[in-house]
Structure formats: structure tokens, C-alpha cells
């Protein structure tokens, strides 16, 4: 085993003397050495050598606001092919790290992210993600020159240990693409005491079972002059282009070409731009064989075989947090089966499965944010930062903090969330009303204060149908992200889906949901956030037949005194419309009478019992048995929200000590919520556009969805 590792390693190089040659590339990069802090920047042919001391100068003292521009997809596969032609030019230098200029500056305190490339060795596999990742990570990509024959695992390991010694309290992220996945696991196994977060994109640990194994002898026997045709031969035989891991199925080049196309435009415009992008890629494909010549390919395949064997033999030693991104249409490797094998073999592993993607999962674009697994299954792209955020894997210290480590949704994530939530937005036609300080009810959210901390307290509709429109409206109208306090089960392994596709609860975490706890509420108030709280919790959202619009709040004023401590503004609100959208036909009592189904629900709730934070609390609210109600959709009516008059907690310090006054205020807030729902139930009868048919006719000839009239407040 020692000899295996030796062939997969080398001593750390020194390449300060090669910086000037690399800077001549048209691809703007900043080269870094483990032992030499330096930066080379190219600006229209001008080379500027600037010192970088302990990361200073590359960090930015700013805070990401909601709907920030992540730049995802502004660089495409065409750029990958263009840059590849420059970066492969021989300079005599060894393996090195580089940081693309588009990755900086990152936020102060950002963790280090090391990208380990696939068999192409270019280090450009994150090109679609450079701008988004570069905002919140100190990104460094490994480049392996075409003619380099020195192994490199220990070189990566030396970098890892040097960075860990300088910042021992920060995690280090290893993103391994295919071949780089083997390297990431090998390094993680040898460094169990370093806090690592490992992300594997179709890892090549399954190389021994790869579909391309029968073609390797053919590659060795192929004359050099025919090597350039080998990728096309493979693409014909098994629908892959091995040379630079160009996708495994015919659909992937189309996905790559579509990465920067606006899907919201008309179909003819979409297909016209798609055709132009595909035509622009064709001249660049002629240089694929230059990226990884035959001798280099054969040498790296031997390295891959050795590395995969070593990584598989050391899986038991990996203590790092691991996320595997697996494709369902990988024509090079059995990535789906391998992901499930790693899930069982690694101590701390999770999976996200993309059934319609090929091997080059990080190089394809498309829509990524959907509200349900079924809707997500048909989409093609993957924004790596979105996946990291949605799985709560982004952190700046050893332990994840739901408040301090949270990154707000970007413009691209918000846009795709709206597209994915189109059914509820279009069919529900939500109406938002708010109450001004003088008691006047107006349409929109003008009555809700913009300055935090603000606590929104209201009714939790069946299955939480009101959540997505509410969060999206605050982002759209006020550019304010509402952080929802959610049931702890949503953040546990109990609710993980078996198919591991992008689930709804990932979507809620991406848009700010966090588990209910006093410490999280404390931190949210301290950071002056807008907080969404449902005192009725799961009991309201999973209510029984005949219980719609009934509050199940605890007897104790759980949130009033903390709101008073931080002088937060409390805004009670009511929401109605579930009875206009769906009919509850099977509730908890009905399902428990069905033999097999009742046993299954009982078993699942026993697993989740440790997350019942209301255990021991008196009242109906303590009955938080989790299940999925049986509902039948109706011809849609409309959702109505009314935010009541803001209650200023400033100057109410007495509620901190006087329990009776706190209880009086608590009951007053509860009454306000009930009054808001009663008002809406009465007024919706006067809405001429309550029916979806009437709204559709109005929208067809007059106005967009959010401008369809309603009743006069």
C-alpha cells in the first residue's frame, strides 16, 4: 500500500520562476505557491506582480444582500475551450495552484476551496461557477501541465496542512471532479484531524467498473496520428468524449450551449441563440486532442487506476463531511451506483442525485431551483454554490451556524424559484394587504417595517401552502429576506428522501429556513432580521378536517419577552385560501385506521420523536405527529394575506419581568391573527377575480399577475 501511495504523490514544488510565463496566457489567473505568496494579474497584456500577504487585498469587507448577483453562467463552455487552448501551452513549469481573476474579491473570513480537476488536468472545471464561488470562498484551482509526469497527491496534502496551520479554526473545502474525487478522498483519509468538507462530482472511485474499460487496450495500440480521431470514435461507440470529459450523452452539448440563454424569452429566440452557441463551439472542438495527448492520457489513466484503488482502500479512515453529486446519465462511470456505495461506506456522507445529467456535471447549465422533486427531475443544470447552501454545508468555522453562516439567495436563484413556483403563483393569485400605522389597510407590504428586527407571527396553512408566495413577495417588493423558523425534523436525516434528488426542504433552507430554538431566535433578533414564526407549528400545518383557520398556539407566550428584549416590531398576520385550492380528504385520524399506512406513520414519528421540541408542553399544540395529508386539488380560488398593524416593542421592557403583561400581549397578538382571517374570509366574497378563470381573462388582456385587482380594503 505504501508503494501505491508513493506513485500517487510527490514533494511540493517551487515555481516562482515560472510566474511570468504563465501570465502570458489570455486566461486571467493569479498563481499561488504553497511557500511563496504572490499574485500575477494580466490586464489587456499588462502583467502586474502584486504581493498578497495572508490573503489581504483579496478579501472584501462587505455583506451579501438578498438578490445579489452571483454571476453564474456568465462564463460558458466556449470560454472553457478558449482558455484551454492558452493554458495548455508548455512553459516547463510543474503542477501549480491558480485563482481565476473572476473569483475575487471574496468576503472577509471566507474559507479556502481547493479544486482538484478531472483527467484533463486543466483546472477549469469550475468555470461556470468561478464568479459565484469566488464571492464566498478563497478559490484555488489545481493545474497539471500536459507534459508533467510527477504525481501530486502529497503536494496537495502539503498545501492542505500549510493552510490548516495558518487558520486551524476554518474548514477547508476540497472539490474533486471525477479523477480529482479520488485525490480528494485519498487526502482526506490521510488527514483525519483537519476539518475538511469534501464535495465529489461523479468521483472516479468506480474506475474499475467504468464503461470505458474495454476501450483502453485500443487506445494504447492506436497510432499517434490517429489519436485526434479517438474522441469522436468513442462518442460514436458509447456516446462519450473521453479526451476532456466532454459529455456522455447527446443532450449535454446542448445543455452546455444553453447555459447563458434566458429561458423566460420566446421559444424562437431561445432556439436561435442555442443554434448560434452550438455553431460557435464547433471550431473549438478541433483542439480537444491537444488538451490531453495520447501519452499524457495513458499516464493519467494509470494514475487514476492507482488513485482509485488507494482511495477505496482508505474510505474507512475518512472523517470529513462528504457530499457526492451523482449523475444518472454518466456514460463514463457508474456514478449513480457509486454514490450509494460511498453513502454506505463513509461515516458522514450525503448525496444529491441528478438523473438527467452526464459525466461533466459541473459544466452544464440550466434551471436548478424547483419546489418539488418531481419538477426538479426534468431540469438539467447545477449551480454548485446553490447545492452547498441548500445542504447547509457552507460554514466559516468548525460548527455550522444557521445565522452567521447563512448566505442570502442570489438573483439567479430567486428567478428560478419564481419559475419553479409558477403553478402556485399563477393558480393561487396571491393578494397581499398590510396595515399602516394609522390603521389604514393598503395593498402591498408598505405597512410592514423595513428596519429590523421584525417578527411576523401568523397562521400556518395546510401543508404550508402560504410559505413560498410570502417569502417571494417580500423579496420582490422590499428586497427583504424573511427567515422562517421551521420544525427541526426538516434539518435531520429522518426526512432525507431515498432518491436523493433536490427536495423541497433543500429549497426552504436555501431561502433562509432554520430550526426552531431560542438561540437561533436570539441571533436573528440580534442581527436585526425579519423573522417568520408560526406558534401553531406542525399542528396547524397538518391539521385535521374541519380545523382550517383554527389556531393551535401554546399557552405560554414563547416569543413575546424575547421580542421585548431586542425591541423588535411584531406584525401579526392572517392568511386564507387553502379551502379554495385543495380539499382535505384523508387526515391523520383516517390514515391511522389504514393498517399498513398507520404502522408506517407511527414508525416514522417514533424516529422523529427526538425532534419534537413541544414534548411535555400542555395543550393540543403538543400533538405534532408528522404525516402527509391526502388532498385533492380544486379549481383554484385565491390566496389572501393581511399583515396587521405593527406592534412596537420599544419601551415595553416591563414585559420581560411581568409574566401577566407578557401573556396579555400574547393573547392580543393571537386575537389580531384571528381577526385578520375573519376579515379576509368576509371580504373575499367581494373579490370579482377570486376565480382563476376571471383572473386569467383579466391577465390575458390587461395586466400581469401581480396587478390583477381585488376587493377594496
Amino acid at each position: 500500500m505504501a508503494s501505491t501511495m508513493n506513485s500517487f504523490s510527490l514533494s511540493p514544488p517551487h515555481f516562482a520562476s515560472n510566474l511570468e510565463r504563465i501570465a502570458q496566457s489570455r486566461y486571467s489567473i493569479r498563481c499561488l505557491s504553497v511557500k511563496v505568496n504572490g499574485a500575477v494579474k494580466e490586464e489587456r497584456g499588462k502583467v502586474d506582480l502584486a504581493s498578497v500577504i495572508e490573503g489581504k487585498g483579496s478579501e472584501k469587507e462587505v455583506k451579501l444582500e438578498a438578490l445579489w448577483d452571483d454571476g453564474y453562467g456568465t462564463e460558458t463552455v466556449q470560454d472553457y475551450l478558449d482558455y484551454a487552448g492558452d493554458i495548455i501551452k508548455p512553459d516547463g513549469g510543474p503542477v501549480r495552484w491558480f485563482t481565476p481573476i473572476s473569483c475575487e474579491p471574496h468576503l472577509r473570513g471566507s474559507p479556502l476551496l481547493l479544486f482538484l480537476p478531472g483527467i484533463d488536468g486543466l483546472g477549469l472545471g469550475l468555470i461556470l461557477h468561478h464568479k459565484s464561488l469566488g464571492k464566498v470562498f478563497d478559490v484555488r484551482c489545481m493545474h497539471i501541465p500536459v507534459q508533467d509526469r510527477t504525481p501530486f497527491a502529497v503536494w496537495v496534502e502539503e498545501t492542505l496542512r500549510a493552510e490548516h496551520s495558518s487558520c486551524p479554526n476554518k474548514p477547508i473545502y476540497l472539490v474533486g471532479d471525477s479523477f480529482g474525487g479520488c485525490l480528494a478522498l485519498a487526502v482526506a483519509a490521510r488527514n483525519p484531524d483537519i476539518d475538511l468538507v469534501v464535495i465529489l462530482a461523479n468521483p472516479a472511485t468506480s474506475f474499475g467498473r467504468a464503461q470505458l474499460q474495454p476501450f483502453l487496450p485500443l487506445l494504447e495500440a492506436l497510432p499517434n496520428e490517429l489519436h485526434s480521431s479517438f474522441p469522436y470514435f468513442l462518442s460514436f461507440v458509447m456516446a462519450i468524449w473521453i479526451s476532456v470529459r466532454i459529455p456522455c450523452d447527446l443532450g449535454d452539448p446542448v445543455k452546455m450551449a444553453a447555459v447563458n440563454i434566458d429561458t423566460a424569452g420566446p421559444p424562437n429566440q431561445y432556439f436561435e441563440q442555442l443554434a448560434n452557441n452550438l455553431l460557435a463551439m464547433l471550431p473549438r472542438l478541433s483542439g480537444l486532442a491537444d488538451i490531453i495527448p495520447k501519452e499524457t492520457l495513458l499516464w493519467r489513466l494509470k494514475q487514476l487506476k492507482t488513485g482509485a484503488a488507494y482511495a477505496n482502500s482508505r474510505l474507512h479512515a475518512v472523517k470529513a463531511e462528504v457530499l457526492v453529486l451523482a449523475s444518472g446519465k454518466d456514460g463514463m462511470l457508474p456514478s449513480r451506483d457509486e454514490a450509494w456505495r460511498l453513502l454506505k461506506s463513509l461515516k458522514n456522507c450525503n448525496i444529491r442525485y441528478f438523473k438527467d445529467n452526464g459525466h461533466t456535471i459541473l459544466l452544464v447549465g440550466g434551471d436548478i431551483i424547483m419546489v418539488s422533486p418531481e419538477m426538479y427531475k426534468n431540469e438539467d443544470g447545477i449551480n454548485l454554490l446553490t447545492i452547498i447552501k441548500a445542504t447547509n454545508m457552507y460554514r466559516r468555522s468548525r460548527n455550522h451556524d444557521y445565522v452567521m453562516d447563512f448566505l442570502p439567495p442570489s438573483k439567479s436563484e430567486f428567478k428560478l424559484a419564481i419559475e419553479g413556483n409558477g403553478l402556485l403563483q399563477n393558480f393561487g393569485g396571491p393578494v397581499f394587504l398590510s396595515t399602516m400605522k394609522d390603521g389604514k389597510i393598503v395593498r402591498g407590504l408598505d405597512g410592514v417595517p423595513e428596519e429590523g428586527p421584525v417578527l411576523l407571527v401568523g397562521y400556518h396553512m395546510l401543508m404550508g401552502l402560504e410559505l413560498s408566495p410570502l417569502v417571494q413577495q417580500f423579496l420582490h417588493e422590499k428586497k427583504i429576506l424573511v427567515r422562517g423558523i421551521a420544525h427541526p425534523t426538516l434539518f435531520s436525516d429522518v426526512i432525507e428522501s431515498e432518491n436523493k434528488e433536490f427536495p423541497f426542504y433543500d429549497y426552504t433552507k436555501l431561502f433562509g429556513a432554520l430550526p426552531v430554538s431560542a438561540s437561533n431566535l436570539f441571533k436573528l433578533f440580534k442581527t436585526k432580521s425579519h423573522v417568520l414564526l408560526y406558534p401553531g407549528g406542525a399542528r396547524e400545518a397538518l391539521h385535521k378536517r374541519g380545523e382550517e383557520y383554527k389556531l393551535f398556539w401554546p399557552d405560554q407566550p414563547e416569543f413575546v419577552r424575547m421580542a421585548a428584549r431586542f425591541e423588535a416590531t411584531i406584525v401579526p398576520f392572517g392568511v386564507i385560501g387553502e379551502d379554495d385550492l385543495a380539499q382535505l380528504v384523508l387526515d391523520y385520524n383516517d390514515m391511522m385506521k389504514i393498517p399498513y399506512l398507520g404502522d408506517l406513520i407511527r414508525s416514522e414519528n417514533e424516529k422523529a420523536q427526538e425532534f419534537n421540541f413541544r414534548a411535555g408542553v400542555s395543550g393540543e399544540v403538543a400533538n405534532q405527529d408528522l404525516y402527509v395529508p391526502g388532498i385533492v386539488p380544486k379549481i383554484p380560488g385565491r390566496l389572501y394575506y393581511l399583515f396587521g398593524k405593527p406592534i412596537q416593542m420599544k419601551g415595553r421592557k416591563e414585559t420581560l419581568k411581568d409574566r401577566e403583561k407578557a401573556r396579555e400581549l400574547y393573547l392580543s397578538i393571537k386575537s389580531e391573527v384571528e381577526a385578520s382571517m375573519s376579515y379576509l374570509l368576509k371580504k373575499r366574497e367581494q373579490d370579482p377575480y377570486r376565480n382563476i378563470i376571471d383572473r386569467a381573462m383579466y391577465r390575458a388582456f390587461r395586466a400581469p399577475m401581480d396587478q390583477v385587482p381585488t376587493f377594496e380594503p
Side-chain angles (χ1 to χ4, degrees):
M1 188 57 64
S3 61
T4 301
M5 189 58 202
N6 289 335
S7 66
F8 200 45
S9 63
L10 88 162
S11 301
H14 304 272
F15 53 85
S17 60
N18 294 308
L19 293 177
E20 190 170 341
R21 296 184 188 178
I22 292 300
Q24 295 172 358
S25 169
R26 287 192 294 117
Y27 180 49
S28 298
I29 62 176
R30 178 164 63 89
C31 292
L32 301 175
S33 168
V34 177
K35 298 184 178 181
V36 180
N37 287 319
V40 173
K41 300 180 181 180
E42 176 200 298
E43 298 178 2
R44 299 186 181 274
K46 179 181 178 181
V47 178
D48 174 37
L49 183 61
S51 62
V52 179
I53 303 174
E54 294 181 355
K56 295 179 181 178
S58 61
E59 293 188 345
K60 195 174 182 181
E61 190 65 67
V62 296
K63 178 183 178 182
L64 287 180
E65 301 293 339
L67 306 185
W68 58 285
D69 185 6
D70 62 6
Y72 171 69
T74 54
E75 291 184 295
T76 67
V77 174
Q78 296 180 34
D79 298 306
Y80 170 93
L81 295 171
D82 283 340
Y83 297 154
D86 288 332
I87 203 171
I88 62 172
K89 294 176 181 177
D91 65 351
V95 180
R96 70 211 68 184
W97 297 110
F98 71 88
T99 297
I101 296 298
S102 57
C103 282
E104 53 184 2
H106 53 78
L107 301 180
R108 187 174 296 279
S110 297
L112 175 67
L113 184 149
L114 301 177
F115 175 63
L116 310 179
I119 201 169
D120 64 314
L122 295 177
L124 300 177
L126 291 180
I127 193 165
L128 272 66
H129 314 270
H130 283 165
K131 291 185 178 180
S132 56
L133 292 175
K135 288 282 189 180
V136 296
F137 287 103
D138 178 5
V139 178
R140 303 181 195 176
C141 305
M142 186 171 71
H143 173 66
I144 309 170
V146 172
Q147 303 302 327
D148 188 86
R149 294 293 182 270
T150 52
F152 33 77
V154 169
W155 180 75
V156 175
E157 195 171 11
E158 291 287 343
T159 302
L160 201 69
R161 291 175 179 174
E163 292 293 337
H164 174 67
S165 64
S166 63
C167 297
N169 296 322
K170 276 188 182 181
I172 298 176
Y173 286 70
L174 295 178
V175 178
D177 182 12
S178 187
F179 176 60
C182 297
L183 180 56
L185 286 174
V187 171
R190 288 170 56 85
N191 296 272
D193 296 330
I194 297 180
D195 184 12
L196 296 177
V197 179
V198 179
I199 300 172
L200 309 174
N202 292 326
T205 45
S206 61
F207 181 69
R209 308 189 308 277
Q211 295 92 315
L212 55 83
Q213 287 288 343
F215 298 96
L216 296 183
L218 175 64
L219 175 61
E220 295 181 11
L222 194 70
N224 291 335
E225 55 270 18
L226 296 180
H227 174 68
S228 60
S229 64
F230 186 72
Y232 303 96
F233 171 74
L234 279 183
S235 68
F236 174 76
V237 175
M238 54 184 302
I240 63 170
W241 292 351
I242 185 175
S243 291
V244 290
R245 304 163 298 114
I246 291 296
C248 62
D249 60 277
L250 185 59
D252 272 350
V254 177
K255 297 171 190 176
M256 289 179 169
V259 68
N260 61 346
I261 302 178
D262 184 4
T263 56
N268 61 327
Q269 180 180 331
Y270 174 88
F271 287 110
E272 180 180 356
Q273 189 171 352
L274 179 64
N276 292 336
N277 288 353
L278 285 170
L279 288 173
M281 288 174 60
L282 290 178
R284 297 167 171 86
L285 297 180
S286 60
L288 291 182
D290 297 331
I291 294 177
I292 183 166
K294 176 185 174 182
E295 295 77 11
T296 301
L297 178 58
L298 291 174
W299 184 83
R300 290 181 183 172
L301 286 174
K302 292 178 181 178
Q303 289 287 297
L304 174 55
K305 183 178 180 180
T306 303
Y310 179 81
N312 284 321
S313 70
R314 300 290 296 167
L315 292 180
H316 64 279
V318 177
K319 295 183 179 179
E321 185 179 5
V322 180
L323 175 65
V324 181
L325 309 180
S327 296
K329 294 182 179 179
D330 188 340
M332 286 184 66
L333 300 170
S335 293
R336 181 188 182 280
D337 295 340
E338 180 65 6
W340 261 260
R341 186 184 75 88
L342 292 175
L343 179 65
K344 297 176 181 178
S345 303
L346 296 171
K347 297 181 177 68
N348 186 10
C349 181
N350 203 350
I351 296 174
R352 284 299 175 265
Y353 175 58
F354 305 86
K355 76 165 193 175
D356 293 322
N357 283 93
H359 186 66
T360 52
I361 191 171
L362 298 177
L363 281 177
V364 294
D367 298 348
I368 56 173
I369 311 297
M370 298 290 115
V371 298
S372 69
E374 285 69 29
M375 296 178 70
Y376 181 71
K377 286 176 185 176
N378 297 322
E379 302 305 325
D380 304 323
I382 165 175
N383 184 329
L384 182 57
L385 180 59
T386 297
I387 301 301
I388 292 173
K389 291 161 58 179
T391 51
N392 283 334
M393 293 189 71
Y394 183 79
R395 52 189 173 90
R396 299 179 180 91
S397 59
R398 184 166 293 275
N399 297 313
H400 176 75
D401 190 308
Y402 285 98
V403 178
M404 306 311 297
D405 289 330
F406 177 73
L407 300 174
S410 65
K411 287 181 181 178
S412 65
E413 291 166 346
F414 179 60
K415 172 179 174 289
L416 294 171
I418 292 177
E419 294 175 1
N421 196 36
L423 287 176
L424 190 56
Q425 288 283 359
N426 290 327
F427 292 161
V431 174
F432 290 88
L433 305 169
S434 60
T435 309
M436 307 299 289
K437 291 182 179 179
D438 60 2
K440 181 182 178 181
I441 298 177
V442 297
R443 187 164 185 184
L445 301 175
D446 289 342
V448 180
E450 294 188 6
E451 184 178 353
V454 173
L455 180 63
L456 308 175
V457 184
Y459 168 68
H460 208 359
M461 193 180 286
L462 179 67
M463 296 290 291
L465 290 173
E466 82 289 349
L467 269 171
S468 293
L470 187 154
V471 173
Q472 291 178 21
Q473 185 67 20
F474 269 87
L475 282 169
H476 174 73
E477 185 174 334
K478 302 176 82 72
K479 289 186 172 56
I480 290 175
L481 178 65
V482 176
R483 302 291 307 274
I485 302 292
H487 198 285
T489 306
L490 291 175
F491 306 87
S492 69
D493 294 336
V494 173
I495 201 171
E496 277 281 346
S497 61
E498 292 185 3
N499 60 19
K500 297 293 182 180
E501 297 186 38
F502 199 93
F504 173 75
Y505 50 83
D506 274 7
Y507 169 87
T508 62
K509 289 181 283 188
L510 180 64
F511 279 79
L514 69 171
V516 57
S517 72
S519 62
N520 282 338
L521 188 58
F522 179 95
K523 293 175 184 177
L524 289 172
F525 282 155
K526 190 175 181 179
T527 54
K528 299 186 181 301
S529 303
H530 283 62
V531 185
L532 177 62
L533 178 66
Y534 295 109
R539 180 60 182 87
E540 276 180 8
L542 303 177
H543 63 69
K544 303 177 179 65
R545 278 200 304 272
E547 294 180 343
E548 58 270 9
Y549 310 132
K550 182 178 179 181
L551 300 184
F552 294 94
W553 288 20
D555 296 331
Q556 299 300 319
E558 298 175 321
F559 57 85
V560 171
R561 286 191 289 171
M562 188 175 291
R565 176 176 180 177
F566 287 92
E567 298 183 338
T569 301
I570 299 177
V571 181
F573 73 93
V575 56
I576 66 168
E578 65 176 77
D579 55 337
D580 265 3
L581 297 178
Q583 176 69 45
L584 178 59
V585 295
L586 282 176
D587 63 12
Y588 178 78
N589 293 334
D590 297 324
M591 291 185 174
M592 293 304 291
K593 295 176 183 177
I594 302 174
Y596 173 78
L597 188 57
D599 293 338
L600 179 62
I601 294 174
R602 191 177 296 108
S603 173
E604 292 299 320
N605 276 280
E606 288 175 358
K607 296 178 184 177
Q609 190 60 37
E610 63 178 298
F611 303 106
N612 185 1
F613 62 98
R614 290 274 170 76
V617 176
S618 61
E620 184 64 24
V621 71
N623 298 324
Q624 294 203 356
D625 292 306
L626 306 178
Y627 75 108
V628 179
I631 59 176
V632 176
K634 293 182 176 180
I635 297 177
R638 205 168 191 182
L639 292 172
Y640 300 88
Y641 300 74
L642 174 57
F643 294 87
K645 186 176 179 180
I647 301 171
Q648 301 287 343
M649 297 303 292
K650 189 174 183 178
R652 295 190 183 223
K653 293 286 187 180
E654 69 276 3
T655 57
L656 286 170
K657 300 179 181 179
D658 193 326
R659 292 181 177 273
E660 190 57 36
K661 286 187 177 181
R663 179 172 173 76
E664 288 178 6
L665 180 57
Y666 176 75
L667 294 176
S668 173
I669 294 170
K670 183 178 180 181
S671 297
E672 282 288 329
V673 174
E674 292 172 330
S676 295
M677 290 192 291
S678 297
Y679 172 85
L680 292 173
L681 287 168
K682 179 180 178 181
K683 295 292 289 185
R684 75 175 176 180
E685 302 296 332
Q686 304 172 19
D687 185 358
Y689 299 101
R690 178 181 173 185
N691 187 281
I692 188 175
I693 298 176
D694 296 323
R695 291 198 304 276
M697 294 294 293
Y698 186 92
R699 289 179 56 199
F701 297 103
R702 301 189 187 183
M705 176 181 60
D706 58 348
Q707 297 178 18
V708 177
T710 185
F711 56 79
E712 286 295 326

